[in-house]
Amino acid sequence: MRSLFIAGNWKMNPATLEAAVALAEAVKAGVGQATEVRVAVCPPSVFLLAVDAALAGSPIGLGGQNMHWKPDGAYTGELSGAMLNDAGCTHVILGHSERRHGLGETDAQVNAKLQAALGVGLIPIVCIGETREEREAGKTTDVVSTQLRGSLAGISSEQMAGVVLAYEPVWAIGTGLTATPAQAQEVHAFIRGWLASAFDEATASRVVVQYGGSVKPENVTELLGCPDIDGSLVGGASLKASDFLTIIKAAQGVAPSKLA
């Protein structure tokens, strides 16, 4: 049975260690010991150790925003999976569109990182999604299937059960635009069908597929009500504890009917 999963991607925010710890502490206080919805936060790497300490005793997971596929070596500015483990991480975001489109990250690189993350026991959150031009050209499913095929190459059904997917239409990230629930559900259902074809029905039914892209307290309940949407990868709204906690509370309200 899939569980709902809300993850906050803080990106290159906040500006100070003090603010990062305060945000983590506020989220921790709001979540308490509730576990019906999985929650994780993904701060900048320089704050990981301090945020891990702030979250001590909480069920909230800690995630890195990226990692290298090599375990060590001459890779200036990079972090290995083992380093993320040592900093307290349980999760790692891979293939975010800001890295794919802004930094030229390829499906093959995402796949190498995925293999490395699974090898050290991290839960990967693999991001996929189309640009506005690709959607308007009717290429959404082609783009998504290509990204899935390349990013998940060589992954077994058993491994896939421990992978989280995040569908994030590029045109809805940081723009204020959001896919309608119908648009989001259509792509999530396609992803579920692709998983069933590439792996099997049992695997497809187990994989958590989040929606990301301008998720806010105002739209999250309707999005989470869609049958194939299993949570959210939240950007800007995760930087304000009250908004992030409202999103988590909405997920907690939806969880009983989704998991029945």
Side-chain angles (χ1 to χ4, degrees):
M1 180 64 69
R2 303 191 304 271
S3 58
L4 291 181
F5 179 31
I6 305 295
N9 178 12
W10 294 2
K11 305 187 181 183
M12 201 165 70
N13 303 286
T16 67
L17 178 63
E18 181 181 11
V21 169
L23 178 56
E25 289 176 340
V27 174
K28 175 182 176 179
V31 170
Q33 293 300 312
T35 57
E36 63 265 42
V37 171
R38 292 165 55 194
V39 178
V41 296
C42 304
S45 58
V46 293
F47 300 149
L48 284 170
L49 285 170
V51 171
D52 181 52
L55 294 176
S58 166
I60 299 170
L62 179 68
Q65 296 180 13
N66 182 43
M67 60 174 280
H68 200 274
W69 56 86
K70 291 290 188 179
D72 52 52
Y75 301 99
T76 301
E78 295 289 346
L79 296 172
S80 71
M83 290 174 181
L84 293 180
N85 271 336
D86 197 57
C89 287
T90 50
H91 297 72
V92 62
I93 299 171
L94 302 177
H96 193 279
S97 67
E98 291 161 359
R99 297 195 60 82
R100 288 181 185 266
H101 297 282
L103 299 172
E105 199 162 284
T106 67
D107 291 333
Q109 289 172 326
V110 175
N111 179 250
K113 293 178 182 186
L114 173 59
Q115 300 274 7
L118 291 170
V120 297
L122 290 167
I123 298 171
I125 303 172
V126 179
C127 302
I128 52 176
E130 81 284 7
T131 65
R132 185 170 185 169
E133 292 75 19
E134 289 165 341
R135 171 166 279 273
E136 291 176 349
K139 296 180 178 178
T140 294
T141 56
D142 290 340
V143 170
V144 168
S145 61
T146 296
Q147 290 176 339
L148 286 167
R149 186 166 55 251
S151 301
L152 304 179
I155 299 300
S156 69
S157 295
E158 291 74 20
Q159 289 175 310
M160 195 63 217
V163 176
V164 174
L165 297 176
Y167 168 60
E168 294 198 308
V170 180
W171 48 271
I173 299 173
T175 63
L177 300 173
T178 308
T180 66
Q183 288 173 322
Q185 168 57 26
E186 181 181 22
V187 181
H188 278 248
F190 171 79
I191 292 168
R192 195 82 61 196
W194 187 93
L195 290 170
S197 177
F199 297 96
D200 50 58
E201 291 284 354
T203 300
S205 69
R206 290 198 302 268
V207 175
V208 169
V209 187
Q210 299 174 309
Y211 171 78
S214 296
V215 176
K216 301 181 279 287
E218 298 78 34
N219 60 29
V220 67
T221 299
E222 196 172 6
L223 286 164
L224 292 180
C226 297
D228 289 298
I229 297 179
D230 306 320
S232 299
L233 181 57
V234 185
S238 70
L239 298 174
K240 186 176 180 181
S242 59
D243 285 351
F244 192 51
L245 290 168
T246 297
I247 290 169
I248 294 168
K249 188 165 290 188
Q252 291 169 337
V254 169
S257 60
K258 293 275 286 195
L259 303 179

